[in-house]
């Protein structure tokens, strides 16, 4: 899960998808990063932490880090939270196989629409709740996609 600062949106995305994967019995390792290093080493924004906690998810132990080319080797799927982030990730990609691992997160819910998760960084608390809701919905869809496939194979 990749955003710009790795303190507002992607820490929520990491926390939410990790929580849902765990609850669905999927042994996924979900992590997050940012395309800039302004906040490297910092915990998530207090409002991201607050909104996560209100929804039963603790993201306080996360620390911001910058996205790097080697991440393309470490992960099967890499989601950009917004289009500007996707542009940066494509610059960091070393070849078409790296790029093929990427997608805009919201395309899992609205295929082909190329929607951004808006950056709540400059705004007040309601923006963080809105972002939480969007990420929660799309992560629900991702889990559904993989668990339905698994169930189909389990029934064979
Ligand atoms: P995020 O929000 O990408 O959702 O973590 C931002 C946080 C900080 C900055 C930009 C976006 N910044 O430029 O410092």
């Amino acid at each position: 899960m990749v955003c710009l600062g790795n303190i507002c949106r992607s820490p929520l995305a990491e926390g939410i998808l990790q929580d849902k994967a765990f609850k669905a019995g999927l042994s996924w390792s979900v992590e997050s990063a940012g395309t800039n290093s302004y906040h490297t080493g910092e915990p998530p924004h207090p409002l991201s932490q607050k909104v996560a906690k209100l929804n039963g998810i603790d993201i306080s132990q996360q620390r911001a880090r910058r996205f790097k080319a080697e991440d393309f080797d470490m992960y099967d799927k890499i989601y950009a939270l917004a289009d500007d982030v996707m542009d940066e990730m494509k610059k960091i990609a070393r070849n078409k196989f790296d790029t093929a691992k990427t997608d805009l997160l919201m395309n899992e819910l609205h295929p082909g629409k190329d929607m951004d998760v808006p950056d709540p960084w400059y705004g007040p608390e309601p923006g963080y709740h809105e972002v939480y809701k969007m990420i929660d919905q799309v992560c629900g869809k991702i889990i559904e996609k993989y668990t339905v496939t698994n169930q189909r194979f389990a029934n064979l």
Side-chain angles (χ1 to χ4, degrees), residues 16-30 139-151:
I16 291 168
L17 189 61
Q18 187 70 79
D19 181 64
K20 287 188 190 297
F22 180 75
K23 286 174 178 161
L26 297 164
S27 55
W28 292 356
S29 177
V30 184
C139 288
K141 188 78 182 179
I142 293 169
I143 295 294
E144 194 184 295
K145 183 166 122 176
Y146 286 95
T147 49
V148 167
T149 304
N150 283 344
Q151 276 163 16

Side-chain angles (χ1 to χ4, degrees), residues 7 10 16 23 25-26 47 56 58-59 75 79 84 89 92-93 112 117 123 127 129 140:
I7 55 166
S10 60
I16 291 168
K23 286 174 178 161
L26 297 164
L47 287 172
D58 179 5
I59 61 170
Y75 302 95
Y79 290 113
D84 50 355
M89 276 168 40
I92 298 166
V117 175
H129 289 275

Side-chain angles (χ1 to χ4, degrees), residues 46-59:
L47 287 172
S48 285
Q49 290 196 45
K50 177 179 174 181
V51 171
K53 200 170 175 188
L54 284 170
N55 287 280
I57 296 175
D58 179 5
I59 61 170

Side-chain angles (χ1 to χ4, degrees), residues 2-11 33-36 38-39 45 48 81 85 117-122 128 131:
V2 187
C3 65
L4 291 175
N6 194 208
I7 55 166
C8 299
R9 291 166 292 178
S10 60
T35 53
N36 72 41
Y38 300 151
H39 299 277
H45 190 285
S48 285
L81 278 277
V85 175
V117 175
D119 191 348
W121 166 248
Y122 298 101
Y128 289 79
V131 162

